[in-house]
Amino acid sequence: MLMNKKIKINVQNLWFYYNDHPVLEDISLEIPQNTITAVTGPSGQGKSTFLMTLNRLWENIEGPRIKGRIEIRFTSNFQNIYDKRYNVSDLRRQVGMVFQVPNPLPMSIYNNIAFPLKLKGEKNKKLVTFRVEDALKRSFLWDEVKDRLNKDARALSGGQQQRLCIARALVLNPQVLLLDEPTSSLDDTSGRVIEDLLLELKKECTMILVSHYLDQVKRIADSGMVLSNRQMKQQW
Ligand code: ADP
């Protein structure tokens, strides 16, 4: 099945260093579109760092250095995401990210989801309202929040907050979604809701999921990579 899918992300000979100390060593892999690729492995081995190479988030930190090439096929052609002409804000709209601990902004549920659209300069209020509702529906959250959109998002449960963060990423229609241990801070039931949601999102996104739950990875990932000793090895 995987072999028939088009490649979405192509990582070639990727090296990554913090202050000249290598964390990723000569990693090459191809990630097919509309799949979930899991990255597992002991902690401190570079899984979060690997995710940050895909949206250039590490560039906000002092000291790191990168070597190699990462291409993503946003249109019909592959685009080198480290090309100097490539705009990092555009990249981060296309490559969304969800973190381990949900991080709602200190504002209403509605404004949390509308925020990225406003940041992008979207002025059409009707369109913003439509996109907010659509993102909340796609994140399996709409029914639970539709009557309290103006309430503070921080009053939601942990699982709801994480779905809110997924909705905030989805409102920009990203093609790639990076998920860094998205269920680690949640109870099992809330975690399962997120798993079902990610399976549904395969229709629209290519996902890379860092997880240390092997049972979760087996349930929802199409392929599994293990990162250890600076190397990435395919497990299945
Ligand atoms: P994982 O996600 O597998 O737990 P990380 O990507 O967070 O691993 O970290 C990989 C290694 O890089 C660790 O040894 C960590 O201490 C180191 N590291 C992470 N962030 C920084 C940083 N900003 N500066 C220096 N070293 C870092």
Side-chain angles (χ1 to χ4, degrees):
M1 281 263 285
L2 279 183
M3 280 167 36
N4 297 330
K5 295 226 182 227
K6 274 189 168 175
I7 301 302
K8 184 76 180 178
I9 302 172
N10 188 7
V11 178
Q12 290 169 14
N13 308 107
L14 176 70
W15 293 69
F16 191 94
Y17 309 80
Y18 285 111
N19 309 310
D20 289 332
H21 169 75
V23 174
L24 305 175
E25 194 176 297
D26 202 20
I27 288 175
S28 296
L29 78 153
E30 291 180 328
I31 296 176
Q33 71 180 18
N34 301 104
T35 57
I36 299 177
T37 298
V39 181
T40 61
S43 95
Q45 297 288 311
K47 300 184 294 300
S48 300
T49 301
F50 175 67
L51 289 188
M52 288 195 293
T53 65
L54 298 169
N55 63 354
R56 295 175 52 179
L57 199 60
W58 64 272
E59 290 180 356
N60 298 343
I61 310 167
E62 277 294 308
R65 187 159 61 85
I66 196 166
K67 245 174 39 181
R69 194 176 170 90
I70 299 181
E71 299 175 332
I72 304 184
R73 206 164 46 74
F74 293 119
T75 55
S76 49
N77 297 321
F78 279 103
Q79 169 84 49
N80 173 7
I81 65 166
Y82 285 95
D83 190 305
K84 289 210 167 46
R85 287 163 303 178
Y86 198 61
N87 180 300
V88 76
S89 305
D90 286 344
L91 175 71
R92 291 184 192 157
R93 282 189 207 115
Q94 298 278 19
V95 182
M97 191 159 189
V98 175
F99 298 90
Q100 176 170 1
V101 179
N103 54 351
L105 299 163
M107 50 179 78
S108 70
I109 294 169
Y110 182 95
N111 283 339
N112 258 273
I113 313 300
F115 190 76
L117 295 172
K118 291 188 176 154
L119 215 56
K120 201 179 143 200
E122 184 56 67
K123 299 268 189 314
N124 182 335
K125 282 195 174 155
K126 267 196 177 154
L127 182 69
V128 171
T129 301
F130 171 81
R131 299 269 300 267
V132 167
E133 179 173 336
D134 180 58
L136 286 168
K137 284 181 175 158
R138 280 147 69 209
S139 310
F140 296 1
L141 192 57
W142 176 248
D143 288 339
E144 290 161 60
V145 300
K146 63 177 188 291
D147 300 324
R148 48 172 169 155
L149 293 174
N150 294 322
K151 294 267 155 56
D152 194 312
R154 292 167 298 176
L156 295 171
S157 73
Q160 288 172 326
Q161 287 188 19
Q162 195 58 304
R163 278 178 280 145
L164 180 92
C165 293
I166 294 174
R168 196 174 59 203
L170 288 184
V171 78
L172 294 173
N173 294 325
Q175 297 193 27
V176 175
L177 198 53
L178 309 174
L179 301 138
D180 198 349
E181 311 239 19
T183 64
S184 295
S185 69
L186 308 179
D187 60 65
D188 283 355
T189 312
S190 310
R192 285 298 184 108
V193 175
I194 302 264
E195 287 181 11
D196 290 344
L197 165 58
L198 299 184
L199 283 173
E200 189 64 25
L201 287 180
K202 282 210 286 183
K203 287 184 197 143
E204 49 184 297
C205 289
T206 302
M207 282 166 277
I208 308 189
L209 167 73
V210 168
S211 172
H212 63 256
Y213 298 119
L214 285 183
D215 51 342
Q216 170 175 80
V217 163
K218 286 265 152 68
R219 274 196 297 273
I220 67 170
D222 298 277
S223 69
M225 315 291 302
V226 176
L227 186 56
S228 82
N229 296 322
R230 301 179 292 280
Q231 310 272 323
M232 188 89 91
K233 294 217 170 68
Q234 181 137 21
Q235 290 237 305
W236 82 87

